[in-house]
Amino acid sequence: MRLPRVITFWLAGAAVLLPVSACSSDEPAAGQAPQASASAAPSEEPEEVNAHPFTGKEYERLRPVLAVKIENTAAGKPQLGLKSADIVYIEQVEAGLTRLMAIFSSKLPAKVGPVRSARISDLHIAPQFGKPAFSYSGAQTKMLPFIAEASLFDVGDTRNPGAYFRQPGRFAPYNLFANTKQLLAKAPKATKAKDIGFTFGDPPAEGGVERKSYSVKWPAARFTFAWSAEKKQWLIWQDGKKDMAAEGGQLGAPTIVVQYTKTERSEFHDKNQSYTPLVHTTGKGSAIVLRDGKAYKARWERESEDGGTTFTTPGGEPMNFAPGQVWVALASRKPVIP
């Protein structure tokens, strides 16, 4: 296993926050966003830390990886546990909607959910983490052999029913939640966090464009990420509404990666003959990295499924992320329902 790299980084100063032009009444609007304070001067000496491979933050020990498939429509909100995730992937599913795959390792919330069914794209994302524990609630019968052969430990509700419970006050199927410690207890050999290609540290000296917000669209979903200098995060809106956490507060992250990928029809479909998209996360392509109130053009590359995904500047240098949680939006340049 590759050891996590020792990363040197500067503490970033606050970026300028401009008014946000909203697409709806609930999205960030002019005059609503807090103003940035004056940028702090960087310290004279860089601080070296033993950086966690998923977040770039200091850690005491590396822990096993747990991947959880989470509902992402209004019926399943607010979600529980996302604030503790190291990485959150946004994936397209049937009918142009999206679901999330949350990756946990450095922090583990007690409970997480709503847990929903697996998709074929999950099985192509998972191998870069080695063999993680994978929590989900069912899958198409035709897909079960693929899950059995995938690089993961199956801790879904069928194999590990004792870890799951129905949350009072919610309705099925959006009320299935899981106890995370019980999930990992069923996968004692799950791979611990390792290098997956991410680098953390100073932003590029050039190339960033100040942005008050950045929107990403799928055929039936829209995310808007708006920079908050006060929180030093890109706060998240979905479909015109603040994306709130069940624990309280609005979801947000220091780094948002918009990874433009190829999306095509898979062999799987639902009972309405709506085909499941296959999102290709190997190969190479373009990306936009949002950090510190700026948008940076980047390139991504993942040579094989058991390898990590690297992000570089147009000049070929590592595209560093800001330390903390990372959201990766797997999107097409032109939204398409395959």
Side-chain angles (χ1 to χ4, degrees), residues 150-308:
S151 181
L152 52 83
F153 288 98
D154 184 345
V155 294
D157 65 334
T158 300
R159 288 182 172 270
N160 189 20
Y164 294 81
F165 64 95
R166 296 291 176 178
Q167 179 70 30
R170 303 205 184 200
F171 59 91
Y174 310 107
N175 61 350
L176 187 67
F177 286 67
N179 293 297
T180 55
K181 288 185 178 180
Q182 292 183 39
L183 293 173
L184 285 176
K186 290 294 185 179
K189 295 183 179 181
T191 304
K192 293 181 179 180
K194 65 184 184 72
D195 182 3
I196 57 165
F198 291 4
T199 61
F200 298 84
D202 292 336
E206 299 178 352
V209 177
E210 289 190 5
R211 292 295 297 259
K212 54 195 174 184
S213 67
Y214 194 94
S215 292
V216 185
K217 294 181 180 180
W218 289 262
R222 183 180 78 253
F223 277 77
T224 298
F225 308 102
W227 175 246
S228 168
E230 179 184 3
K231 295 183 180 294
K232 294 182 172 59
Q233 290 187 340
W234 295 89
L235 299 180
I236 301 173
W237 275 255
Q238 184 178 348
D239 300 328
K241 296 181 179 180
K242 291 182 178 181
D243 210 356
M244 306 300 290
E247 301 93 321
Q250 188 173 0
L251 293 171
T255 304
I256 306 293
V257 180
V258 183
Q259 184 178 344
Y260 289 110
T261 62
K262 180 182 179 181
T263 301
E264 63 181 7
R265 177 181 291 190
S266 75
E267 63 184 279
F268 305 99
H269 57 78
D270 63 19
K271 61 184 179 182
N272 298 318
Q273 298 299 307
S274 179
Y275 277 84
T276 301
L278 173 59
V279 180
H280 290 272
T281 52
T282 55
K284 60 181 65 177
S286 62
I288 297 293
V289 175
L290 306 175
R291 59 163 298 177
D292 304 316
K294 292 185 177 182
Y296 295 86
K297 291 183 179 180
R299 302 288 301 173
W300 67 268
E301 183 171 358
R302 184 180 174 206
E303 293 183 354
S304 63
E305 291 204 342
D306 59 357

Side-chain angles (χ1 to χ4, degrees), residues 4 50-59 61-62 86 105-106 193 200:
N50 197 22
H52 194 281
F54 297 172
T55 67
K57 290 190 171 184
E58 291 185 86
Y59 67 91
R61 62 186 178 90
L62 295 175
D86 293 332
S105 184
S106 66
F200 298 84

Side-chain angles (χ1 to χ4, degrees), residues 308-319:
T309 307
T310 59
F311 294 87
T312 56
T313 67
E317 298 297 320
M319 179 63 240

